[in-house]
Amino acid sequence: GVQRPAIVSSVKVSSKTPFTIRCYSTRSTVIQLLNNIGSKREVEQYLKYFTSVSQQQFAVIKVGGAIITQQLPELASCLAFLYHVGLYPIVLHGTGPQINEILESEGIEPDYIDGIRITDERTMAVVRKCFLEQNLKLVTALEKMGVHARPITAGVFQADYLDKEKYQLVGNITGVNKAPIEASIQAGALPILTSLAETPSGQILNVNADVAAGEVARVFEPLKIVYLNEKGGIINGNTGEKVSVINLDEEYEDLLKQSWVKYGTKLKIKEIRDLLMHLPRSSSVAIIDVNDLQKELFTDSGAGTLIRR
Ligand code: X2W
């Protein structure tokens, strides 16, 4: 496996924590986490669990594009915390709302089929611009918090056209190149990915970020798979309530028949089901609010929507 990057300067959190943090300035953050998030025993147990596997197998975190606009400070500080305790999540972000905003300002109505954007040449230019802008925004916010973060905006996803007639420049991922992600973690940098893909002949294609995050989780098989969205989970469109758990084996077929399960929500649930069918039975996916990330990672009580088999 990949060697854990060297700790710059270290300090013990407690005599029992097998764990070091990077610099003294973050010690108060760690103590705060230990006090606020869960019992010390609970948090230490999870820290031990997360460091029992190779760094690249800790977590895949999908960040909805809306969060970069609405909750960037919260997002950056949650990720900075993980980095400072020596945990390296693989982060993949979307940029859906930013794309729509630009399209609408240019008088173009965003067009989707089943949650997938129909991406013509003109739209693709906007998609690429937004992915690069939002990626830089997140990386810059992390760097301001002393985090070494690496933008990875190409070279990971190989793809074919999903359906050229129907969606135009949209990719169906056929391969995930782990090397740039592994190299980033090995160099001690958080890998920050977009979901842009490339055909063998070099054509850039647009891929839904939920789908791409699922593909990353499929190849890395991380301990935690977390989707951060602005709603803090999946909302039942009929009742307006948050769905706390989806047990796929029992509920999937019925769920897909519900009138509110459509567009992006349907795509997300389908993709997560596909993913969980390929992972060990004990795997699950949590869809949560960014402010619940530490609670989700370090305590027994989850938050948001848990999807499992
Ligand atoms: C998405 C990629 C961005 C995305 C799109 O163009 O909107 C396709 O639909 P969020 O913020 O995670 O929704 N691509 C093909 O998924 O961003």
Side-chain angles (χ1 to χ4, degrees), residues 22-66:
R22 281 175 178 278
C23 53
Y24 289 94
S25 64
T26 57
R27 184 159 201 245
S28 62
T29 325
V30 176
I31 305 290
Q32 211 178 324
L33 176 98
L34 292 170
N35 292 336
N36 293 349
I37 304 295
S39 71
K40 201 168 168 182
R41 180 202 56 76
E42 212 176 14
V43 172
E44 283 181 349
Q45 188 186 305
Y46 279 96
L47 286 176
K48 206 170 168 182
Y49 173 53
F50 294 145
T51 48
S52 69
V53 294
S54 67
Q55 274 291 8
Q56 60 187 23
Q57 276 195 301
F58 159 52
V60 168
I61 300 178
K62 191 266 168 164
V63 176

Side-chain angles (χ1 to χ4, degrees), residues 62 64-65 94-97 99 115-117 131 170 206-209:
K62 191 266 168 164
T95 184
I99 297 168
I116 295 166
R117 186 187 305 280
F131 264 123
V170 170
N206 186 12
V207 176
N208 175 280

Side-chain angles (χ1 to χ4, degrees), residues 13 47 87 253:
V13 177
L47 286 176
L87 293 171
E253 301 297 331

Side-chain angles (χ1 to χ4, degrees), residues 62-66 93-100 112 115-119 123 127 131 169-171 195 206-210 267-268:
K62 191 266 168 164
V63 176
H93 69 86
T95 184
Q98 293 87 359
I99 297 168
N100 289 343
Y112 296 86
I116 295 166
R117 186 187 305 280
I118 299 171
T119 309
T123 302
V127 170
F131 264 123
L169 301 173
V170 170
S195 59
N206 186 12
V207 176
N208 175 280
D210 285 345
L267 185 66
K268 195 183 224 104

Side-chain angles (χ1 to χ4, degrees), residues 7-270:
I7 302 290
V8 177
S9 75
S10 61
V11 57
K12 275 209 158 58
V13 177
S14 85
S15 54
K16 287 200 195 96
T17 312
F19 220 92
T20 47
I21 56 175
R22 281 175 178 278
C23 53
Y24 289 94
S25 64
T26 57
R27 184 159 201 245
S28 62
T29 325
V30 176
I31 305 290
Q32 211 178 324
L33 176 98
L34 292 170
N35 292 336
N36 293 349
I37 304 295
S39 71
K40 201 168 168 182
R41 180 202 56 76
E42 212 176 14
V43 172
E44 283 181 349
Q45 188 186 305
Y46 279 96
L47 286 176
K48 206 170 168 182
Y49 173 53
F50 294 145
T51 48
S52 69
V53 294
S54 67
Q55 274 291 8
Q56 60 187 23
Q57 276 195 301
F58 159 52
V60 168
I61 300 178
K62 191 266 168 164
V63 176
I67 293 174
I68 303 177
T69 301
Q70 295 169 19
Q71 297 172 296
L72 187 59
E74 294 93 324
L75 173 66
S77 68
C78 284
L79 296 177
F81 172 79
L82 296 175
Y83 168 85
H84 284 302
V85 296
L87 293 171
Y88 290 77
I90 300 169
V91 178
L92 184 146
H93 69 86
T95 184
Q98 293 87 359
I99 297 168
N100 289 343
E101 197 181 318
I102 294 184
L103 290 178
E104 279 158 13
S105 77
E106 293 177 0
I108 305 168
E109 192 57 39
D111 202 358
Y112 296 86
I113 301 175
D114 300 331
I116 295 166
R117 186 187 305 280
I118 299 171
T119 309
D120 61 13
E121 295 271 359
R122 189 168 167 197
T123 302
M124 191 62 194
V126 176
V127 170
R128 289 182 72 178
K129 173 180 145 86
C130 287
F131 264 123
L132 294 184
E133 275 178 6
Q134 299 309 308
N135 189 278
L136 182 62
K137 220 169 140 183
L138 177 51
V139 167
T140 305
L142 288 167
E143 283 172 346
K144 281 195 184 130
M145 306 196 77
V147 177
H148 186 193
R150 182 175 288 185
I152 302 182
T153 58
V156 172
F157 300 108
Q158 295 113 48
D160 290 332
Y161 286 88
L162 179 61
D163 182 336
K164 207 171 177 177
E165 292 280 294
K166 198 168 165 186
Y167 299 110
Q168 302 185 50
L169 301 173
V170 170
N172 174 44
I173 294 174
T174 53
V176 178
N177 180 12
K178 294 166 84 172
I181 300 170
E182 290 173 337
S184 171
I185 293 174
Q186 197 137 25
L190 290 195
I192 312 294
L193 280 65
T194 71
S195 59
L196 290 172
E198 218 172 300
T199 66
S201 62
Q203 170 66 51
I204 310 265
L205 297 175
N206 186 12
V207 176
N208 175 280
D210 285 345
V211 173
E215 296 298 326
V216 174
R218 194 184 293 225
V219 298
F220 281 95
E221 301 198 359
L223 295 178
K224 298 292 293 189
I225 305 164
V226 181
Y227 281 58
L228 302 176
N229 74 358
E230 73 283 11
K231 298 174 202 134
I234 289 179
I235 308 297
N236 180 321
N238 292 341
T239 63
E241 279 167 26
K242 201 173 285 174
V243 179
S244 64
V245 61
I246 297 173
N247 296 300
L248 290 168
D249 286 349
E250 292 94 56
E251 297 169 56
Y252 183 68
E253 301 297 331
D254 282 343
L255 197 61
L256 283 205
K257 289 179 197 146
Q258 303 279 318
S259 60
W260 60 269
V261 179
K262 57 187 171 186
Y263 312 136
T265 304
K266 189 171 187 176
L267 185 66
K268 195 183 224 104
I269 295 172
K270 276 183 140 171

